[in-house]
Amino acid sequence: MYISNEGLLVILFVGLLAGWLAGKIVRGTGFGIIGNILVGIAGALVASYLFPKLGIRLGSGLVSEIVYSAIGAVLLLVVVRLIRGGGRF
């Protein structure tokens, strides 16, 4: 699989925005800029696996990818917080 430099920058940008949004939505679980990028990318992977199985479609384009990734990152942060934080929101 080949990813161009521009594609890599888009992935990092989407991951950064999604991680930042997820950190704002689920307060107290920010992991810094690198951690937020990783959470955003992991959230995108979670959302791209989970949403099609549930029949959820948000459209296409960069904005929908950011929303997809942010929702996946929020789900990921909620699960991490439930496991690590004793189940409190």
Side-chain angles (χ1 to χ4, degrees):
M1 182 168 110
Y2 174 74
I3 298 176
S4 66
N5 290 336
E6 293 86 11
L8 184 60
L9 285 174
V10 168
I11 290 170
L12 290 176
F13 177 72
V14 168
L16 175 66
L17 281 178
W20 177 78
L21 281 172
K24 292 296 181 185
I25 293 170
V26 182
R27 294 191 173 239
T29 56
F31 295 110
I33 192 163
I34 301 297
N36 285 347
I37 291 173
L38 294 176
V39 167
I41 292 170
L45 293 174
V46 167
S48 68
Y49 174 75
L50 187 62
F51 285 179
K53 298 241 184 234
L54 297 173
I56 300 171
R57 296 185 60 94
L58 297 176
S60 62
L62 185 61
V63 174
S64 68
E65 289 300 318
I66 292 170
V67 172
Y68 249 149
S69 301
I71 292 171
V74 166
L75 291 174
L76 186 65
L77 285 176
V78 166
V79 168
V80 167
R81 184 175 248 192
L82 285 173
I83 292 171
R84 198 172 98 190
R88 297 200 65 191
F89 284 100

